[in-house]
Amino acid sequence: MPPLAEITQLIVFGVLATAVVVGALGVVMLPNIVYSAFLLGGVFLSVAGLYLMLNASFIAAAQILIYVGAVNVLILFAIMLVNKKEAMGASPGIGLRRVLSTGVCLGLFALLLRVAFSTPWATPGPAAIGEDAVIRLGEHFFSDYLLPFELASVLLLMAMIGAIVLARRDVLATDIGTGESVDQGLIEKARTPLLMEKP
Amino acid sequence: MSSIDIPLEAYLTIAAALFCIGVWGLINSRNAVRVLMSIELMLNGVNINLMAFSSYLDGTEIRGQVYAIFVITVAAAEAAVGLAILLSLYRNRDTVDMERFNLLRW
């Protein structure tokens, strides 16, 4: 009879694993995209639970803050903003594509499983440091991973400015020759034929 | 010590399943928002791999967690820019159907 802690751990792992896989299947298969978005939040939370089981409490908190708090909310806002009921017309060869892609994904899954189970992993490795992980993370960020850390901040700044520039409607520039505005707002108003569907 | 009796392969299996579901959704989704969601699923699968290796094989120098932080950062930036592009595209084309974003195809 194994001790109670191990049984609890197994049960928690089973519940989290089921939630991750079933939730992910729901995200890609449910017809209503709002349900998909909320299920995606559930998948993110379950993955955070798996991180807790892997001795990574800081990453679990970061996962909840960033994924559930920011990315998922952003996706929900995008769904609200592009909320247009449109019938996706039938596309030629969609059945064949679906069968082929399912085959490719199952093959990829089998390949990954074969690699995971045939490689002689060097377990058990050194014992995990547990709650000292946050201290070790900080040491890494300010010593040997300092350059990627600073580059990540530059990347976030670029993404912020890029998202604002891409999503704003106002006119940012005017044509030098004609003096007319040459930006998003004008393109929307003019509905230039280039951007429209060919009949 | 926790996470010793569950084998490493169990986590790798979950990560592989999550990644493959993400690939399937990426190929088969018609809605552009769902494509972005599938990309997030794939990134989460990769992160589970990194964290599992970090905990099982690299318990003292947790380099996998450092990489996971960078992946989360890039994923957040990607989601913001991707959704901005999606909104811009929706205003210009008036649709989110991936099959109709074919201006540059032929």
Side-chain angles (χ1 to χ4, degrees), chain A residues 6 9 17 27 30 36 44 51 55-56 63 67 84 86 89 97 101-102 125 136 167 184 191 195 197, chain B residues 2-3 5 14 24 28 30 34 40 44 47 51 56 60-61 75 88 91-96 99 103:
Chain A
E6 290 187 7
Q9 203 182 8
V27 168
L30 281 184
S36 291
F44 288 157
Y51 291 169
N55 304 307
Q63 163 96 2
Y67 271 111
K84 181 185 174 194
E86 60 178 322
R97 193 196 325 176
S101 61
T102 308
R136 191 59 51 86
Q184 195 68 262
R191 288 271 172 223
L195 290 165
E197 187 91 10
Chain B
S2 62
S3 77
D5 45 358
I14 294 178
W24 193 88
N28 281 304
R30 298 287 298 273
R34 205 187 293 261
E40 299 295 335
N44 265 284
N47 263 349
M51 306 293 280
Y56 279 84
T60 51
E61 301 283 322
S88 179
R91 283 203 230 113
N92 283 323
R93 301 299 303 264
D94 211 20
T95 180
V96 286
E99 297 289 318
L103 190 66

Side-chain angles (χ1 to χ4, degrees), chain A residues 76-178:
Chain A
L76 278 170
F77 266 99
I79 291 172
M80 279 198 301
L81 287 174
V82 299
N83 189 11
K84 181 185 174 194
K85 290 271 178 284
E86 60 178 322
M88 306 258 177
S91 166
I94 193 134
L96 178 66
R97 193 196 325 176
R98 206 153 275 211
V99 170
L100 277 180
S101 61
T102 308
V104 167
C105 290
L106 285 180
L108 180 64
F109 185 55
L111 181 72
L112 289 174
L113 280 191
R114 183 178 150 72
V115 170
F117 281 94
S118 65
T119 309
W121 304 112
T123 50
I129 50 177
E131 288 309 307
D132 288 339
V134 187
I135 301 170
R136 191 59 51 86
L137 268 181
E139 286 170 5
H140 275 309
F141 277 139
F142 285 99
S143 57
D144 45 351
Y145 289 94
L146 183 61
L147 181 64
F149 185 66
E150 301 292 340
L151 282 182
S153 61
V154 176
L155 174 79
L156 282 177
L157 180 69
M158 278 162 49
M160 191 169 70
I161 296 174
I164 293 171
V165 168
L166 281 171
R168 66 182 284 159
R169 311 186 75 116
D170 321 350
V171 172
L172 284 177
T174 51
D175 193 315
I176 301 175
T178 60

